[in-house]
Amino acid sequence: MDAPSLDLAADLVGGWLQLPGSASAELMGSVGFDFVCVDQQHGLIGDDALLPMAQALAATGTPVVVRVTGNEPSAIGRALDRGAAGVIVPLVDTAQDAARAVAACHYPPRGGRSYGPTRRAWSPGGPDPQCIVMVETLAAVQALPDIVAVEGLDAVFVGPSDLALSAGLPLGAQYDDPGFERLLHEIVDECRSRDLPVGIYSASPAHVHRFRELGFTFFTLLSEAAILRAAALAHLTNARASGVTL
């Protein structure tokens, strides 16, 4: 089992999973996303659920990226041992934070990851894992020139909700606030200066198009939980509405 390689500069559109379950993972993988992110930070997915979900996504040929619970070697190592092609590491505010994440993704002498003959080792020779760090605070934006200079960093990923809150803006600012858009421009320009791919969580296809115009190079759409809830609510609302004709 080789984890498929990811070219995060290639205008990729990914899916997002928050609910545990191999069937929903396989379903999302069958859609044709360029990759799927399994969210262990804000999702309900533990390590035991992660393995069958990664296996289900592998069966569809879909690369798996895991947003880990935090910037700690054990969390990163467990995700990679279960077959992730890369990790998204949350709350990286400094170059030191980014360097710690990179080191946790790689074996010595490149990094400090502990070796174990688990899933990735069963089919050696695959691509190196991708280390993607999140920029989701004003502190991270201010430190971005140093963060993007960290050797071995593969990409930056923007968390728009936390970035808006950190900037003292309402959550809705991520959609149309000029000040928030200036922050996004600053992030994109800094990443471009290092030829570093930069991605962002997108609440809709329209937001993907907007963020693409700003210079982002990869995207994730809203989670299967959000899609399911919105669809269920829409169907229920329409079923209870009076005067609806077929």
Side-chain angles (χ1 to χ4, degrees):
M1 186 282 305
D2 286 345
S5 59
L6 280 172
D7 181 1
L8 296 172
D11 195 33
L12 304 185
V13 178
W16 197 275
L17 291 168
Q18 286 186 305
L19 303 178
S22 58
S24 56
E26 185 179 13
L27 186 152
M28 291 287 280
S30 73
V31 169
F33 287 111
D34 296 308
F35 66 95
V36 169
C37 177
V38 178
D39 186 1
Q40 289 197 292
Q41 184 195 21
H42 291 305
L44 305 177
I45 300 162
D47 287 342
D48 287 345
L50 175 58
L51 175 57
M53 293 175 74
Q55 291 170 323
L57 286 164
T60 70
T62 306
V64 181
V65 174
V66 176
R67 181 161 75 166
V68 294
T69 54
N71 189 5
E72 56 173 4
S74 59
I76 293 169
R78 289 195 303 272
L80 297 178
D81 284 348
R82 283 159 177 74
V87 291
I88 295 177
V89 183
L91 294 170
V92 170
D93 287 341
T94 67
Q96 291 76 18
D97 291 342
R100 186 164 61 252
V102 170
C105 287
H106 300 290
Y107 300 121
R110 185 177 177 187
R113 180 181 169 192
S114 175
Y115 177 80
T118 47
R119 196 160 180 251
R120 287 297 301 273
W122 299 341
S123 298
D128 286 341
Q130 300 272 313
C131 182
I132 306 161
V133 301
M134 292 197 73
V135 168
E136 49 189 338
T137 66
L138 284 183
V141 175
Q142 293 163 2
L144 198 56
D146 295 325
I147 290 173
V148 298
V150 171
E151 185 176 356
L153 182 63
D154 295 296
V156 162
F157 185 76
V158 174
S161 296
D162 279 326
L163 183 58
L165 292 175
S166 177
L169 300 169
L171 286 175
Q174 61 187 284
Y175 304 126
D176 54 16
D177 184 89
F180 188 79
E181 190 155 309
R182 284 193 293 272
L183 279 176
L184 297 184
H185 274 296
E186 186 176 345
I187 294 167
V188 168
D189 290 346
E190 200 61 58
C191 290
R192 277 181 168 174
S193 73
R194 289 279 180 168
D195 292 322
L196 199 67
V198 55
I200 189 167
Y201 187 94
S202 307
S204 70
H207 286 97
V208 170
H209 295 303
R210 173 193 169 209
F211 294 144
R212 183 182 287 122
E213 290 176 356
L214 293 178
F216 286 88
T217 65
F218 67 101
F219 316 87
T220 62
L221 286 169
L222 68 171
S223 72
E224 91 288 29
I227 293 170
L228 177 61
R229 190 179 190 281
L233 181 60
H235 281 289
L236 178 61
T237 300
N238 287 338
R240 286 178 170 166
S242 60
V244 175
T245 58
L246 297 178

